[in-house]
Structure formats: C-alpha cells, structure tokens
C-alpha cells in the first residue's frame, strides 16, 4: 500500500516536473508548477530552510514565496549603525545558518551573559568556559536581521525558485498522504508541492487556513529596542538586568566595539512614555538601571512587624539574618571560579530609531497538517527575554531537514516522517516556552518570600557547576529531551 502510494506520488511528481519545465519555457502561461518543497515566507527561518535543503538535499526542487520585496542590499558595516532588529544566536543556530552565510555577516560575539536583578543580591553568569571550548569557543553571537536575510537570500538564488511580492491567494488542498498540496498565488500561478511549509511569521496565513489553532497568551508587555553608543567596549559580554517590574533590560553586543543594542521588555505605557521622552532622559534612565549591581532583597520583617508579637518578631528577624547571610555567602562564593560581577559600559547616546513589538507566547497545537508543516514564528512565538525566538525557529529547520533526509534516504514520500518532526519539535519547544514563561512570571513577582526563594535559586545555580553548565549548554544548543 505504502509502496503503491509512493509510486503514484512519484508518477505525479514526474509528470508535474515535466509540466514545470514546459511552464519555464513558456513563462507567460499560467500552467501548473511543481515543487518538491514550497516555502511560504522568506524571513530568516524560511530562507534558512531553503538554504539547508539546497545543501543537504540538492535533488529536491524548492520554491519560496515572499509577500515582501527581495532584501535590500545593506551598506558596509563601517557605513552603518548596527540595526536594533538583532538576534542573539547560539552556536547551534549559526551551524544551521551555515558557514558560508555566517562568514558574510558582521557578528557581535559574546562569551558570557550576566543576568542579575533589582532587589536581589544574586547574579548569574553563563560563560563559554562552561562549554566545550573546542566545540563552542563562544556562547553566542548577535546578528542583524537585514544582513542575515540578505545573505541567506543571495545564497539560495539559482538553487531555489523565489517569487517576491507574492502571497498564497487560496489553498485548494493541504494534501493528504496521497494527494499534493495545491495553492494559487496572488499572481495567478497554481503551484503543487509534496510539502508546503508555513514560514510566514507569527500571524501565519497558512496556519489559519489549514485550521491549526494555537494556545498561549499575549503578555501585557511590549519590547522596546534601539541602538546605543557606549563609553567603552562590551568586552564580549552580554548583560540582562531584571528591573523591579520584572521587565528585563538587555544590553547586547554588536559587531561594533562601541555600539550595543538595548532590548527592554516592559509595560506598553512605559514604552510609549520613553518613546516620547527626550533622549537625554532615556539615556540617564538606562544608565541608572544598568549600572546598579545586585541589591538587597526587601525585608520580610517590615511587612509583618505590626501584626506580630515581640517574640515572633525576634524569631523572624533572626531568620531573616540567616537568610541574608546565606544569600550573601552564596553570592560571594559564586564568584569562584567564574568571573566576578561586571558593571556594563555606560550608555552615551541613542543612535537609531526606536522599534517596539507586542510580546506573546503561543504555540500551534500541531506543527503539521496533511502535507503542510509549520516552522519558526508560524509555529511558536516567545518572549524575547531569553533571546530564543529565532533560535527555536532554526531548531525547527534542522529537525525538519533531518526528517526529510530520512524519508529521501529510504526512497519514501517526503511527508512520511512528518509526525516525527511534529512530536520532536512540539515537545522540545514546549519545554523552552514553559521555562521562559515561568521565568517571566517568577522575575515579574513582587512577592517578597518569592523574591528570597528566587535569590536562593539563582545563587544555587551559579554555585552548582553541573547545573550552571547545563543551562549554558541549553543556551548554546537548545533544550531537548
Ligand atoms: C524585540 C524582539 C527581539 C528579539 N530578539 C531575538 C533574539 O535576540 N534572538 C532570537 O533568536 N529571536 C529574537 N526575536 C524573535 C525573532 O524576531 C523571531 O523569532 C524571528 O524573526 C522569526 O522569524 P520567521 O522567519 O519565523 O518570521 P518573520 O521574521 O516574521 O518572517 C516571516 C516572513 O514571511 C513573510 N510573509 C508573511 N505573510 C506571508 C504570506 N502570506 N505569504 C508569503 N510570505 C509571507 C513576511 O514578509 C516575512 O518575510 C526577537 C523578537 C522581538 C520582538
């Protein structure tokens, strides 16, 4: 049965391939086009999939539809300010992007990430020293979206057929295990494919039109991002401080020694206020937030003193002193053997427009439907506090290509192992999303006992080598079970 299905699909594929070559010769006709894989969405994730398919499965015909224009050529690094739409990519993600593409990019490498928070004498430093230095000489690298997409786009030209300013107008069939996925584009072309990929971002048309729902939440937070100049180099460090409202403010290195990108997630009203405020005020506020080191946890006792008797108050006071000693002892112990706490460089000026994005955490209930697979933001969106959005999307690309290689090596239909892609990615992305969502809630708490617990937790992670190394590995290679 499987063999017969495979034979009939191959026969249809051959017939359509022949028709496609005729269509190419007679370009003005609107005859059917066949692609083994048709990708809708030419952002960083869609283009990375096309590139990896061209490299690993060169016999497949790949098409890509992009709603926008082709990427604009970027000015040289020396002639531009690093763009604030930048991503912190892990070494594993840079592998997916490919060496030839990364070599064209201006990367802001970092070998440590220091995380600390207001109201807590704890800090966490993830360092490349916690990784296998030969395999991962750095913890991550910041890359701008524009040059990344441009380099990927250039790389796939001549190997992937690309349509720009083109969307899917209608999806005739998302295919079942026997048929093909069939779409008509806004330019009137009818394209059939053995596999249709939704890489069309968080508002995915494909996800909605194949009827896959998603679950999750919109955060009452917006990310504000812009580029700043610094008084000195970042020394290959990335910084992230959780402010009292729980919103993380990150200072990420760029390829330029004197520029950094600020990504600050906070309440939408606060974002609006600072978008409208004079630059000098925002610069002063950034420095006030980022230059402060770890602080004392608010007192448990002050909140409860009035309602307690003297004896109870003494016991609580004593308990609090013990807790304080524990926190500070652990915080000081944590500076060995990894580096001490570093204050970030001083922000001098804001040198780019300010961009803001509403934040959400959503995951598609299924990553596949018939012959359709979802990747990147079309499958999941995530809070930028852990810088995992694009990393997770590139993880999808890697696993999807492995699944297609497996089918191709076995001489089977491309969709044969799609359910493995679905279960692998939903399981692992759920882990990441769950962890990031929990951290977002924990860091956002104003509850004093919870703040003590969180301080203790952070100090423990920092002190317990294997735990810290595990988290550094997760940052570099993603979470997997
Ligand atoms: C403030 C902020 C900071 C972030 N920082 C990081 C970070 O440090 N590290 C990280 O890993 N991630 C980060 N992210 C997340 C990251 O931006 C996204 O995860 C990533 O851009 C998703 O890529 P994508 O290709 O899936 O989607 P997109 O980049 O949204 O691309 C989708 C593409 O599809 C096209 N398209 C849309 N609809 C259609 C259609 N119907 N037909 C054809 N084409 C279509 C669009 O034009 C677009 O080119 C951040 C996000 C925010 C908001």
């Amino acid at each position: 049965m499987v063999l017969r299905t495979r034979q009939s699909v191959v026969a249809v594929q051959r017939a359509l391939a022949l028709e496609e070559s005729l269509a190419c010769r007679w370009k003005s006709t609107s005859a059917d086009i066949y692609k083994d894989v048709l990708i809708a969405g030419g952002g960083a994730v869609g283009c990375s999939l096309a590139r990896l398919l061209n490299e690993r499965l060169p016999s497949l015909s790949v098409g890509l539809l992009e709603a926008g224009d082709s990427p604009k050529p970027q000015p040289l690094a020396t002639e531009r300010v690093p763009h604030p739409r930048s991503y912190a990519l892990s070494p594993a993600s840079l592998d997916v992007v490919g060496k030839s593409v990364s070599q064209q990019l201006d990367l802001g490498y970092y070998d440590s990430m220091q995380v600390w928070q207001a109201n807590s004498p704890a800090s966490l430093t993830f360092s490349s020293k916690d990784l296998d230095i030969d395999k991962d000489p750095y913890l991550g690298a910041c890359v701008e979206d524009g040059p990344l997409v441009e380099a990927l786009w250039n790389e796939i030209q001549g190997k992937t057929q690309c349509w720009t300013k083109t969307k899917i107008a209608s999806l005739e069939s998302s295919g079942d295990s026997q048929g093909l996925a069939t779409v008509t584009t806004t330019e009137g072309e009818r394209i059939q494919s053995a596999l249709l990929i939704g890489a069309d971002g968080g508002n995915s048309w494909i996800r909605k039109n194949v009827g896959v729902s998603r679950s999750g939440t919109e955060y009452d937070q917006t990310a504000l991002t812009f580029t700043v100049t610094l008084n000195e180099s970042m020394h290959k460090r990335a910084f992230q401080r959780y402010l009292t409202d729980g919103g993380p403010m990150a200072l990420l290195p760029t390829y330029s020694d004197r520029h950094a990108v600020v990504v600050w997630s906070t309440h939408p009203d606060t974002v609006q206020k600072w978008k409208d405020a004079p630059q000098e005020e925002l610069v002063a506020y950034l420095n006030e937030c980022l230059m402060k080191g770890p602080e004392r946890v608010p007192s448990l006792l002050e909140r409860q003193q009035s309602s307690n008797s003297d004896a109870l108050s003494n016991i609580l006071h004593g308990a609090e002193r013990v807790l304080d000693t524990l926190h500070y002892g652990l915080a000081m112990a944590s500076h060995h053997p990894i580096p001490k706490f570093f204050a970030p460089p001083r922000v001098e000026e804001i040198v780019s427009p300010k961009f803001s994005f509403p934040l959400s955490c959503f995951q598609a209930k299924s990553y596949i439907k018939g012959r359709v697979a979802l990747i990147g933001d079309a499958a999941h969106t995530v809070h930028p506090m852990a810088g995992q959005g694009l990393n997770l999307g590139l993880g999808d690309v890697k696993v999807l290509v492995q699944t297609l290689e497996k089918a191709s090596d076995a001489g089977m239909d491309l969709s044969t192992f799609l359910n493995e892609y679905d279960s692998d990615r939903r399981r692992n992305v759920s882990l990441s999303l769950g962890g990031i969502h929990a951290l977002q809630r924990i860091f956002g708490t104003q509850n004093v006992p919870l703040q003590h617990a969180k301080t203790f937790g952070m100090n423990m992670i920092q002190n317990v080598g294997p735990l810290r190394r595990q988290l550094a590995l997760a940052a570099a290679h993603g979470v997997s079970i």
Side-chain angles (χ1 to χ4, degrees), residues 68-138:
D69 222 333
S70 50
K72 284 197 198 82
Q74 302 287 319
L76 291 175
T78 46
E79 290 163 10
R80 68 174 198 266
V81 162
H83 197 281
R85 185 164 180 189
S86 290
Y87 310 118
L89 290 188
S90 66
S93 292
L94 284 167
D95 276 352
V96 175
V97 160
K99 213 176 192 157
S100 58
V101 169
S102 351
Q103 278 168 348
Q104 297 171 45
L105 300 171
D106 303 297
L107 297 171
Y109 287 102
Y110 56 92
D111 50 29
S112 71
M113 159 88 75
Q114 178 176 285
V115 181
W116 76 112
Q117 54 172 342
N119 292 342
S120 170
S123 66
L124 264 177
T125 304
F126 302 110
S127 159
S128 56
K129 292 194 177 90
D130 283 328
L131 302 172
D132 177 350
I133 207 81
D134 290 331
K135 242 171 73 204
D136 300 308
Y138 53 90

Side-chain angles (χ1 to χ4, degrees), residues 41 43-45 65-67 85 87-88 199-201 223 357 376-377 387 389-391:
V45 175
L65 300 176
E66 166 53 37
R85 185 164 180 189
Y87 310 118
D200 48 348
F357 311 83
D377 276 20
L390 185 54
N391 288 302

